């Protein structure tokens, strides 16, 4: 199996991965899931242990991250070589050279866009041709995903768990800020928590917008002392970031002011408010990822998009978020507004350079062409059949003799 599981934020991709790991352990093989952060890996390990205990299963759960002590790491290495039905959870530490597995049959990459191609390849090579699952919470319209990931099977989870309430969104200007503060304070007094997102770490001359360092000080003055406010940003050391996220997870911090480093983070079911300052500075897909950090529990959740400027294009993006919580609808609208860019290059927006096709109107036809081209190369890899001579000559212009280079 080589499969992409694509699902919106909070749709349940992780439980699907866990069930696949349990199925693997039941067959007497190891499985491993690689997460982008230490905190997320620890949360995955904790949930796997709770799941096995609830189901009365005795499969060992092994955690391997860079923050383990030398003794803990040594014990983890020994367990990896000893336990044939282990459920393994970790970060990049899983792909270090000294890590040796025993019958590793399934590798799962969580938030696949946070890992490079070489890292995913190193993970795959840790086992004797293991099954592969990669998971993505970045929605891509299905037809486009099939074109981009033509070498993978694709499963789409397009619903959310039954008891989840739709997040209530609102786009407001800065005159609403004081009212938003009172709303956050009321939510905290009801036992909930809140995120506030800023585009900058600190104030700079070149960039305008709210920054984390000053915003923390402001909220500490606005809120009473019993409401603890803390800041989080990418310049912090990994250990410090982990400590803050763990404190937020345990409700020792009630309001977390952060940059987008929490875009891929732990599941804090108690968080019910996401307030994004200078929302016009973020892309649609990123805003959707951020707003998916709330609404993970049974309580009603809210997302406040605070707009610092009022340019027409920026309003168009935020208006999309006011219409829907559906990540695939939002991704499609994002594609229309800014173009897809070079998915495998450096451009983040703009049009694909197709000579004939239109990425929006012809997506279905392009999907069909991709499938048929792949089928043709399976049946005749070298296009040696005389009836394919003209096609072979035409394709040689683009790919030389190596047709595997073609992204068909």
């Amino acid at each position: 199996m080589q499969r992409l599981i694509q699902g919106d934020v909070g749709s349940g991709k992780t439980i699907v991965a866990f069930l696949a790991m349990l199925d693997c352990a039941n067959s007497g093989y190891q499985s491993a899931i690689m997460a982008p952060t230490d905190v997320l890996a620890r949360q995955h390990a904790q949930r796997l242990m709770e799941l096995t205990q609830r189901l009365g299963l005795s499969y060992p759960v092994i955690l391997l991250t860079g923050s383990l002590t030398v003794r803990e790491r040594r014990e983890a290495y020994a367990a990896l070589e000893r336990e044939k039905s282990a459920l393994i959870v970790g970060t990049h530490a899983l792909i270090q050279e000294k890590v040796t597995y025993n019958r590793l049959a399934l590798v799962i990459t969580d938030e696949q866009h946070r890992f490079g191609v070489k890292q995913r390849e190193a993970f795959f090579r840790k086992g004797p041709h293991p099954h592969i699952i990669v998971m993505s919470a970045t929605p891509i319209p299905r037809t486009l995903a099939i074109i981009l990931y033509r070498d993978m099977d694709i499963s789409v989870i397009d619903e959310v768990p039954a008891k989840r309430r739709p997040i209530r969104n609102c786009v407001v200007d800065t005159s609403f800020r004081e009212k938003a503060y009172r709303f956050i304070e009321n939510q905290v007094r009801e036992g909930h928590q809140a995120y506030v997102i800023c585009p900058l770490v600190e104030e700079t001359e070149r960039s305008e917008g709210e920054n984390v360092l000053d915003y923390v000080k402001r909220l500490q003055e606005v809120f009473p002392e019993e409401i603890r406010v803390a800041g989080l940003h990418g310049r912090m050391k990994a250990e410090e970031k982990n400590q803050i996220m763990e404190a937020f997870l345990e409700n020792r911090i009630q309001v977390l002011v952060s940059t987008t480093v929490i875009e891929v983070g732990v599941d804090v079911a108690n968080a019910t408010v996401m307030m994004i300052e200078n929302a016009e500075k973020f892309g649609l897909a990123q805003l959707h990822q951020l707003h998916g950090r709330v609404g993970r529990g049974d309580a009603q959740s809210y997302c406040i998009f605070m707009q610092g400027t009022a340019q027409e294009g920026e309003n168009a993006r935020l208006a999309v978020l006011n219409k829907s919580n559906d990540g695939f609808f939002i991704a499609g609208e994002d594609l229309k507004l800014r173009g897809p860019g070079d998915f495998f290059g450096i451009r983040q927006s703009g049009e694909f350079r197709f000579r004939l096709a239109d990425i929006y109107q012809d997506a279905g036809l392009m999907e069909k062409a991709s499938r048929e081209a792949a089928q043709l190369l399976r049946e005749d890899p070298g296009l040696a059949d005389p009836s394919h001579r003209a096609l072979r000559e035409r394709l040689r212009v683009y790919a030389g003799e190596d047709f595997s280079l073609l992204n068909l």
Side-chain angles (χ1 to χ4, degrees):
M1 174 175 60
Q2 189 163 338
R3 182 172 298 276
L4 168 70
I5 297 180
Q6 188 182 2
D8 210 346
V9 284
S11 63
K13 297 182 298 299
T14 305
I15 191 62
V16 172
F18 286 175
L19 291 172
M21 294 175 75
L22 290 176
D23 193 44
C24 196
N26 190 50
S27 299
Y29 291 89
Q30 289 182 338
S31 58
I33 180 168
M34 183 166 63
T37 65
D38 189 290
V39 177
L40 186 57
R42 289 178 182 275
Q43 187 178 64
H44 281 346
Q46 180 63 33
R47 288 190 166 178
L48 262 178
M49 286 188 279
E50 292 171 357
L51 183 62
T52 54
Q53 289 171 6
R54 192 162 72 243
L55 297 175
L57 303 173
S58 57
Y59 306 129
V61 177
I62 301 171
L63 176 68
L64 183 60
T65 71
S67 65
L68 297 181
T69 64
V70 174
R71 179 181 176 182
E72 289 171 334
R73 198 174 295 122
R74 192 185 305 121
E75 291 174 352
Y77 290 158
L80 287 177
E81 295 188 38
R82 182 180 67 248
E83 303 288 351
K84 292 184 178 179
S85 297
L87 308 168
I88 303 157
V89 184
T91 56
H92 298 77
L94 294 176
I95 59 176
Q96 291 177 346
E97 288 186 17
K98 61 183 71 174
V99 180
T100 304
Y101 297 89
N102 187 343
R103 291 161 64 91
L104 179 64
L106 171 66
V107 295
I108 302 170
T109 305
D110 192 9
E111 302 293 351
Q112 62 91 16
H113 65 282
R114 296 292 293 269
F115 298 96
V117 174
K118 290 186 181 296
Q119 290 171 323
R120 293 199 296 271
E121 184 179 353
F123 196 23
F124 167 75
R125 295 188 183 282
K126 285 293 184 179
H129 203 71
H131 295 283
I132 299 170
I133 293 176
V134 297
M135 301 195 295
S136 175
T138 304
I140 303 172
R142 183 178 177 84
T143 49
L144 184 56
I146 290 171
I147 296 167
L148 293 178
Y149 297 99
R150 67 178 180 84
D151 57 339
M152 304 189 81
D153 292 317
I154 298 176
S155 294
V156 175
I157 303 175
D158 57 6
E159 296 177 282
V160 295
K163 293 184 180 180
R164 294 280 172 86
R165 299 186 187 184
I167 299 169
R168 293 181 181 173
N169 304 321
C170 66
V171 178
V172 296
D173 59 32
T174 53
S175 65
F176 187 81
R177 188 176 283 141
E178 294 302 320
K179 190 174 181 180
Y181 292 161
R182 299 285 73 79
F183 181 76
I184 291 172
E185 183 176 344
N186 290 336
Q187 286 288 301
V188 171
R189 292 193 184 283
E190 291 177 11
H192 301 301
Q193 293 163 271
Y195 295 96
V196 177
I197 305 301
C198 298
L200 304 173
V201 175
E202 60 185 348
E203 186 177 9
T204 65
E205 293 182 0
R206 291 179 296 176
S207 300
E208 293 183 0
E210 299 293 338
N211 69 87
V212 171
L213 300 183
D214 290 338
Y215 213 102
V216 169
K217 295 176 183 176
R218 182 195 303 173
L219 290 187
Q220 286 171 340
E221 295 174 357
V222 169
F223 294 142
E225 288 185 8
E226 62 266 24
I227 296 178
R228 189 179 173 201
V229 180
L232 182 71
H233 55 79
R235 294 184 192 173
M236 292 177 167
K237 293 181 179 179
E239 184 178 352
E240 188 179 2
K241 284 191 287 188
N242 288 340
Q243 289 174 349
I244 290 173
M245 280 307 304
E246 286 175 5
F248 188 64
L249 186 60
E250 296 168 3
N251 201 9
R252 289 184 282 117
I253 294 172
Q254 286 73 50
V255 180
L256 183 64
V257 182
S258 174
T259 56
T260 57
V261 293
I262 58 96
E263 180 183 348
V264 177
V266 294
D267 189 348
V268 184
N270 195 45
T272 57
V273 182
M274 168 66 69
M275 177 173 163
I276 303 175
E277 288 282 359
N278 301 112
E280 74 280 353
K281 293 183 178 292
F282 300 96
L284 257 179
Q286 192 171 41
L287 288 170
H288 181 66
Q289 285 282 338
L290 289 168
H291 116 305
R293 292 294 101 207
V294 295
R296 305 235 164 184
D298 294 339
Q300 179 63 59
S301 294
Y302 308 86
C303 190
I304 304 167
F305 300 102
M306 189 71 67
Q307 187 171 282
T309 62
Q311 296 178 24
E312 186 176 344
E314 293 157 353
N315 281 336
R317 290 208 309 271
L318 297 178
V320 172
L321 292 165
N322 247 347
K323 290 180 186 175
S324 174
N325 284 313
D326 184 342
F328 293 96
F329 169 78
I330 291 169
E333 293 300 302
D334 192 26
L335 196 64
K336 294 175 184 175
L337 283 172
R338 70 184 184 97
D342 290 331
F343 276 85
F344 301 111
I346 59 173
R347 284 195 305 143
Q348 295 301 306
S349 62
E351 298 297 324
F352 269 141
R353 294 177 182 173
F354 295 122
R355 295 193 179 184
L356 294 175
D358 181 283
I359 189 65
Y360 315 114
Q361 296 181 20
D362 304 324
L365 182 62
M366 292 168 70
E367 176 190 343
K368 182 179 179 182
S370 179
R371 284 200 309 267
E372 293 195 2
Q375 177 68 23
L376 176 63
L377 289 179
R378 279 195 297 271
E379 295 173 353
D380 185 10
L383 297 179
D385 189 295
S387 64
H388 297 152
R389 184 178 300 168
L391 178 61
R392 178 186 175 88
E393 294 303 316
R394 187 177 292 270
L395 292 181
R396 186 180 286 121
V397 175
Y398 299 100
E401 295 296 330
D402 187 1
F403 296 122
S404 66
L405 294 176
L406 288 167
N407 182 27
L408 293 174

